Amino acid sequence: MGDSFDAIVIGTGQAGPALAVRLASAGLRVAIVERKRFGGTCVNNGCIPTKTLIASARAAYVAREAARFGVDVGGGVRVDMPRVKARKDAIVAESTANIESWLRGTTNVTVVQGHARFADRHSIAVGEHLLSAPQIFINTGGRPAVPAITGLDQVPYLTSTGIMEVDRLPEHLIVIGGSYIGLEFAQMYRRFGSQVTVVETAPRLIAREDEDVSAAVEAILEGEGIAVRTSAECLSVERRGTGVSVHASCEREPRVVAGSHLLLAVGRLPNTHDLGLDRAGVQTDAKGYIVVDDTLATSVPGIYALGDVNGRGAFTHTAFNDYEIVAANLLDGDPRRVSDRFPVYALFTDPPLARAGMTKREAKATGRPILVGRRSMARVGRARERGETQGFMEVLVDGETKRIVGAALLGIEADESIHCIIDVMSAGAPYTAIRRAVHIHPTVSELIPTLLGELSPLS
Ligand SMILES: Cc1cc2nc3c(=O)[nH]c(=O)nc-3n(C[C@H](O)[C@H](O)[C@H](O)COP(=O)(O)OP(=O)(O)OC[C@H]3O[C@@H](n4cnc5c(N)ncnc54)[C@H](O)[C@@H]3O)c2cc1C
């Protein structure tokens, strides 16, 4: 015999808690299960700790650059890594505790701690405890992938999770993986004072982006002294004293990079392998992601999958949007769909890269008449005043519908200024809605109407 509920939520990531509270406030008796720390990846090992560490790294960077602004900080800049980590830990602990107390303090929500596994399509086992409900919501997220690299079993390595415990400065950090997560750590550790090398198997960094975007990001990182090794094929690693060396061997001139620490940042895997999904009959795809329809329903009626585990997004904002879609359909009679959203995300290097919709490559492939407006950050007053003029802003418009179809903003405040573009795209309004708007001077955003007034055909 076990406990019966109206709904069970597995995982307290970015969708589960909000959904549990929403269902409970609609009068349902809800159990929410968490096996580790409340808040999941974003709160404990992802967005919050990385942005906290990036803030420390930026403080070090600004202090080193202070003389450029006529400010004398006196002497060299020393980063106290135990204090940097303690600050990060305190901010994470507060966020985790807030989520736990929110859930425990909500009427109709029962918090269960332990690893959940399906027993059948309506029940899950948490240790000896059996819980059943007609509706089950899976929000189990993902974990760092560890690639099959020759020699990896012989060397110590970090992942994006393990590096959260580091409180000493690596002398030379080698990052395998030149994509979003790897590059944030690369710049952060360079600014803390480590020597950093990024090793990427693809011919360029963040290969999903357009080539000029990759090149500009690479130039920014190299400008801070980060070594970038792209097209590094046939990787192997070996122990070298207390450190590690990374070999790229399939090349005309094989290369070796020797470092003190190794960080693997080569993507993530969904947490579906240990959920007992076969006992419920929930279908997964070849990579282990749970197959869902446009309302996030799985192959089994009454079971839904939200967040990274469904492969329909890999961000906190997509996981939270999944919660909104499920709640809208189940509780509000509002037929929201996953396909209503378009890609939006940022790479939180400094300056950040903010993206919405299509790349130029994707826009060209549609065969539509695409117009482009572009402006160098060197021609943005606010960037000049700040002395940080790297990057550019580029917006793509469909010449017939007048809708914005994509944007890449690389420059200071890009992660904020992109939102005027996102909002107009979401509203389905033409680009002229921004073109005619009055933006505040002096900001980065004030130049977005200007660049939309200078559109030309995308060659
Ligand atoms: C280093 C890093 C930086 C990132 N930065 C950003 C960023 O800046 N912006 C952004 O939007 N995204 C960022 N992300 C991605 C973001 O963290 C994830 O997209 C987001 O956390 C996904 O949320 P989720 O709800 O799907 O799952 P998760 O947050 O992964 O939560 C899943 C939860 O389920 C629990 N769980 C798993 N299996 C079970 C089980 N069987 N039983 C019980 N509990 C279980 C886990 O313990 C976990 O608490 C980053 C990720 C990383 C790794």
Side-chain angles (χ1 to χ4, degrees):
M1 280 299 288
D3 293 331
S4 296
F5 294 88
D6 297 315
I8 298 169
V9 177
I10 309 175
T12 64
Q14 295 305 304
L19 182 63
V21 169
R22 182 72 214 282
L23 293 170
S25 60
L28 275 66
R29 286 174 315 109
V30 184
I32 185 162
V33 190
E34 175 54 58
R35 68 177 176 189
K36 284 189 189 152
R37 293 163 72 187
F38 291 85
T41 307
C42 179
V43 171
N44 295 290
N45 305 307
C47 337
I48 291 183
T50 51
K51 275 70 227 178
T52 305
L53 294 169
I54 284 170
S56 291
R58 166 126 182 118
Y61 171 78
V62 170
R64 282 191 202 102
E65 296 286 308
R68 267 204 300 136
F69 299 86
V71 177
D72 186 0
V73 293
V77 173
R78 195 182 72 80
V79 177
D80 184 338
M81 289 300 286
R83 276 169 59 203
V84 166
K85 178 173 179 293
R87 175 177 181 273
K88 181 268 291 178
D89 288 344
I91 290 171
V92 167
E94 190 183 3
S95 308
T96 303
N98 285 344
I99 292 171
E100 181 173 0
S101 61
W102 180 42
L103 289 172
R104 290 195 191 279
T106 301
T107 306
N108 286 340
V109 171
T110 301
V111 173
V112 180
Q113 285 186 273
H115 182 98
R117 261 192 197 81
F118 277 89
D120 58 49
R121 56 174 51 193
H122 295 306
S123 2
I124 59 156
V126 183
E128 301 292 297
H129 202 160
L130 195 67
L131 316 175
S132 57
Q135 289 189 316
I136 300 181
F137 302 91
I138 305 168
N139 178 220
T140 51
R143 63 191 186 285
V146 176
I149 295 178
T150 307
L152 200 57
D153 53 341
Q154 306 295 319
V155 302
Y157 63 83
L158 299 162
T159 62
S160 59
T161 304
I163 201 168
M164 292 299 162
E165 299 311 315
V166 171
D167 66 355
R168 279 189 301 165
L169 190 67
E171 192 185 318
H172 183 173
L173 179 67
I174 304 176
V175 182
I176 296 187
S179 201
Y180 309 92
I181 290 177
L183 297 187
E184 288 185 21
F185 282 110
Q187 188 183 43
M188 175 202 303
Y189 271 89
R190 180 67 190 139
R191 289 180 169 192
F192 287 153
S194 297
Q195 195 182 332
V196 175
T197 303
V198 177
V199 177
E200 167 58 53
T201 52
R204 56 191 172 87
L205 300 179
I206 43 172
R208 202 182 302 162
E209 307 299 336
D210 284 318
E211 282 181 31
D212 55 346
V213 172
S214 291
V217 168
E218 182 172 331
I220 289 168
L221 297 177
E222 287 180 332
E224 291 192 26
I226 295 170
V228 176
R229 306 275 177 265
T230 49
S231 302
E233 291 174 16
C234 304
L235 290 182
S236 62
V237 293
E238 80 183 350
R239 193 180 269 275
R240 190 174 162 277
T242 55
V244 57
S245 58
V246 176
H247 303 245
S249 52
C250 277
E251 299 172 1
R252 239 179 289 155
E253 289 178 32
R255 291 178 286 176
V256 182
V257 183
S260 60
H261 291 70
L262 176 64
L263 170 66
L264 302 177
V266 292
R268 292 178 62 77
L269 297 172
N271 287 330
T272 51
H273 59 300
D274 52 4
L275 259 180
L277 289 175
D278 49 331
R279 274 182 238 139
V282 174
Q283 212 185 323
T284 53
D285 69 13
K287 292 181 176 165
Y289 290 100
I290 296 175
V291 177
V292 289
D293 69 11
D294 218 11
T295 63
L296 302 168
T298 69
S299 53
V300 176
I303 303 182
Y304 295 79
L306 301 84
D308 287 10
V309 79
N310 64 28
R312 303 289 292 267
F315 301 99
T316 284
H317 45 271
T318 47
F320 191 80
N321 184 241
D322 284 359
Y323 141 66
E324 293 181 319
I325 290 167
V326 169
N329 281 281
L330 294 183
L331 300 173
D332 302 335
D334 180 359
R336 291 178 68 174
R337 297 282 180 267
V338 182
S339 52
D340 292 340
R341 74 185 179 217
F342 52 88
V344 296
Y345 53 89
L347 162 67
F348 291 92
T349 46
D350 181 26
L353 165 68
R355 286 268 299 105
M358 289 187 250
T359 60
K360 284 185 291 229
R361 191 177 58 238
E362 289 165 343
K364 270 184 206 161
T366 63
R368 307 275 314 160
I370 303 294
L371 304 174
V372 58
R374 181 175 167 117
R375 192 173 192 92
S376 159
M377 291 300 289
R379 293 175 60 223
V380 174
R382 186 64 182 274
R384 286 159 53 85
E385 290 143 18
R386 283 256 303 259
E388 297 179 274
T389 53
Q390 293 160 310
F392 57 85
M393 300 192 283
E394 193 168 69
V395 183
L396 307 174
V397 171
D398 183 314
E400 266 171 32
T401 65
K402 310 292 180 213
R403 299 273 178 92
I404 297 175
V405 296
L409 309 189
L410 173 65
I412 60 160
E413 316 295 358
D415 49 339
E416 296 294 341
S417 54
I418 190 86
H419 286 92
C420 69
I421 291 169
I422 292 174
D423 290 344
V424 165
M425 289 174 77
S426 297
Y431 79 90
T432 47
I434 303 183
R435 172 74 194 102
R436 294 174 184 202
V438 178
H439 284 189
I440 294 168
H441 174 78
T443 60
V444 174
S445 303
E446 76 175 317
L447 273 308
I448 294 176
T450 312
L451 75 82
L452 285 170
E454 298 163 353
L455 297 174
S456 59
L458 178 64
S459 58

